[in-house]
Amino acid sequence: MGKIIIAGNWKMHKTQAEALEFLQVLKSNLEEANEAREIVLCAPFTALGVMSKSLHGGLIRLGAQNIHWEEKGAYTGEISGLMLKELGVDYVVVGHSERRQYFGETDETANLRVIAAQRHGLTPILCVGESKSQRDAGETETVIINQVKRGLVDVDQSNLVIAYEPIWAIGTGDTCEATEANRVIGLIRSQLSKKEVTIQYGGSVKPSNVDEIMAQPEIDGALVGGASLDPVGFARIVNYQ
Ligand code: 13P
């Protein structure tokens, strides 16, 4: 078991004004008893600055959705760890399936980004997950083990989060069975040298299924997409029973 971390991945959603409005409502809906749970909001780069000022060291942590492996240079459209650190960011999502699918991210570039995040004192959230056709072909285990191995070459496992996000369960409402997510996450853990790494489940997590997911022994948290955009619903997810 790792530390419990419930993270929202806003993807390409929310302006600065919308992000601040979200924070107001979220804060008023959090239960104090749940302080042991880390709450992370992975917002667009443009919202991170104002969110950081509004949070100033409270319970909620900030995450970014990408990081380049160089500190600076001619890499149009990329962002560096130096820039994220300055904004008060603590986490960064790396190797999300949408980055792999639409922007050519590979296990090798994800690995470079994970290492860069750690070098800057950020905690990378490395995403892995199989597609529907890989699952149907019985390749889930091989795909996941390969993604974990290649993503973690030369990586310090003491500052790491992994998110298991089966691609077929992302944005589809088709959640992976909690026991199946637990099984694959157990498999991921068996590949790690540090067993206390936080491993999250992601893919159509919502208020109505979070309790069952979080009741699983191997699952240490959730990476929530669509359902993290509504502050009341996301508070319910954070306040899972
Ligand atoms: P959904 O929760 O919208 O399925 O997205 C999951 C995800 O991709 C989080 O990174």
Side-chain angles (χ1 to χ4, degrees):
M1 265 317 257
K3 176 167 76 171
I4 302 292
I5 304 175
I6 308 290
N9 174 12
W10 284 356
K11 309 189 180 182
M12 197 171 71
H13 291 280
K14 294 197 192 292
T15 62
Q16 296 183 65
E18 289 166 343
L20 291 179
E21 206 175 304
F22 176 99
L23 285 184
Q24 290 265 313
V25 181
L26 175 65
K27 284 187 207 160
S28 62
N29 280 279
L30 292 177
E31 288 171 11
E32 276 171 38
N34 294 337
E35 286 189 7
R37 299 173 188 179
E38 186 121 305
I39 307 164
V40 182
L41 293 172
C42 302
F45 301 133
T46 46
L48 292 170
V50 287
M51 289 176 77
S52 178
K53 285 193 190 114
S54 156
L55 291 169
H56 50 79
L59 271 181
I60 304 167
R61 301 297 178 89
L62 279 183
Q65 298 173 23
N66 195 14
I67 180 174
H68 194 266
W69 47 90
E70 298 291 344
E71 323 260 291
K72 56 183 167 183
Y75 302 103
T76 303
E78 289 285 325
I79 193 139
S80 83
L82 274 180
M83 298 166 184
L84 295 176
K85 260 323 245 197
E86 189 188 40
L87 290 174
V89 168
D90 289 316
Y91 289 87
V92 58
V93 174
V94 172
H96 192 280
S97 60
E98 287 149 18
R99 302 282 328 159
R100 296 177 191 254
Q101 191 181 345
Y102 307 133
F103 302 101
E105 187 87 67
T106 62
D107 290 327
E108 288 67 37
T109 54
N111 175 250
L112 291 171
R113 295 183 204 275
V114 166
I115 292 172
Q118 293 185 330
R119 193 168 65 238
H120 288 282
L122 300 164
T123 302
I125 304 176
L126 174 68
C127 302
V128 298
E130 81 287 357
S131 66
K132 176 84 171 70
S133 60
Q134 289 167 331
R135 174 159 284 261
D136 291 346
E139 295 165 3
T140 300
E141 290 75 12
T142 336
V143 168
I144 298 296
I145 290 173
N146 279 331
Q147 286 178 344
V148 169
K149 276 202 179 131
R150 294 183 188 144
L152 295 185
V153 174
D154 294 332
V155 166
D156 171 11
Q157 295 186 11
S158 62
N159 179 29
L160 174 70
V161 173
I162 296 177
Y164 170 55
E165 298 206 310
I167 297 170
W168 47 272
I170 295 178
T172 58
D174 190 10
T175 324
C176 183
E177 284 287 326
T179 50
E180 174 58 9
N182 186 67
R183 183 186 73 83
V184 178
I185 288 176
L187 175 73
I188 294 171
R189 199 178 302 284
S190 73
Q191 304 299 307
L192 303 177
S193 55
K194 287 231 171 6
K195 302 301 176 197
E196 61 279 12
V197 169
T198 294
I199 310 182
Q200 300 172 314
Y201 167 76
S204 299
V205 176
K206 45 197 173 219
S208 59
N209 62 22
V210 68
D211 299 343
E212 191 192 1
I213 291 165
M214 291 307 298
Q216 300 295 319
E218 293 286 355
I219 304 181
D220 304 319
L223 185 55
V224 187
S228 73
L229 296 173
D230 165 45
V232 175
F234 186 62
R236 170 63 185 87
I237 291 174
V238 171
N239 297 330
Y240 71 85
Q241 307 297 306

